[in-house]
C-alpha cells in the first residue's frame, strides 16, 4: 500500500523536528512499528492522533488544519468510535454497535428514515 499524504506529512514533521521513529513513537505512546505503519499508510490513524501530534509538537493553526484535512482525505476501511471521550450512555453505545452490525443490510427506505431522524434539528 502506498504511503498516504497524511503519512508523508507525518514523516516530514518527524524529520523536521529531528526525531527518530523510536523517539516520536515514544512521545506518542505507541510502538515504533505502529508509527511506521501509520506513516506508510498500512495502519489506520488512531482516534485523536492528529490532536495529540498537534499538541505534542506545538503545531500552529495552519499546520493543524492541514494535518486534519489530510486525515479526512485518508481512505479508511474502518471507523473508530471513542466512547470514553464522547460521554455516551450505554444505550447510545449499544445503538452504535447495533448499527455497525446491521448497516450493510439496510434497504434504501430504511436508510432514508434513519437519515431523516439523524438530520432533525
Amino acid at each position: 500500500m502506498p504511503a498516504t499524504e497524511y503519512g508523508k506529512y507525518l514523516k516530514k514533521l518527524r524529520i523536521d523536528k529531528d526525531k527518530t521513529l523510536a523517539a516520536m513513537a515514544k512521545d506518542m505512546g505507541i510502538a515504533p512499528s505502529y508509527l511506521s505503519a501509520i506513516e506508510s499508510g498500512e495502519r489506520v490513524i488512531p482516534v485523536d492522533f492528529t490532536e495529540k501530534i498537534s499538541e505534542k509538537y506545538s503545531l500552529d493553526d495552519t499546520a493543524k488544519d492541514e494535518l486534519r484535512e489530510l486525515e479526512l482525505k485518508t481512505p479508511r476501511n474502518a471507523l473508530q468510535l471513542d466512547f470514553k471521550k464522547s460521554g455516551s450512555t450505554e444505550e447510545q453505545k449499544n445503538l452504535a454497535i447495533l448499527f455497525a452490525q446491521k448497516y450493510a443490510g439496510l434497504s434504501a427506505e430504511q436508510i432514508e428514515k434513519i437519515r431523516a431522524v439523524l438530520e432533525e434539528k
Side-chain angles (χ1 to χ4, degrees):
M1 170 180 263
T4 63
E5 292 304 312
Y6 185 94
K8 291 175 187 177
Y9 187 99
L10 191 59
K11 185 174 184 175
K12 182 181 181 317
L13 174 67
R14 180 172 57 78
I15 292 167
D16 290 347
K17 298 291 184 179
D18 199 28
K19 292 284 186 173
T20 64
L21 192 68
M24 182 179 261
K26 183 177 179 183
D27 288 347
M28 301 310 300
I30 60 175
S33 58
Y34 190 60
L35 178 58
S36 177
I38 294 168
E39 286 185 359
S40 68
E42 295 175 12
R43 293 294 298 260
V44 174
I45 302 162
V47 173
D48 290 340
F49 191 76
T50 297
E51 287 303 315
K52 289 176 184 176
I53 283 282
S54 298
E55 289 175 22
K56 184 68 180 176
Y57 294 104
S58 303
L59 300 184
D60 63 28
D61 289 341
T62 302
K64 285 181 198 176
D65 290 344
E66 185 177 357
L67 193 56
R68 278 189 206 109
E69 280 297 313
L70 292 173
E71 181 179 4
L72 291 173
K73 291 178 182 177
T74 301
R76 295 179 183 236
N77 294 329
L79 175 66
Q80 297 178 357
L81 299 174
D82 186 353
F83 290 127
K84 290 179 192 171
K85 188 172 183 180
S86 68
S88 302
T89 66
E90 279 301 311
E91 288 176 328
Q92 291 166 328
K93 292 176 193 176
N94 291 336
L95 178 61
I97 293 167
L98 180 61
F99 181 77
Q101 293 169 341
K102 304 284 184 175
Y103 80 93
L106 296 173
S107 69
E109 181 181 330
Q110 290 170 317
I111 291 169
E112 195 51 45
K113 286 179 182 178
I114 293 169
R115 182 188 321 266
V117 169
L118 295 176
E119 291 178 348
E120 284 179 0
K121 293 186 178 184

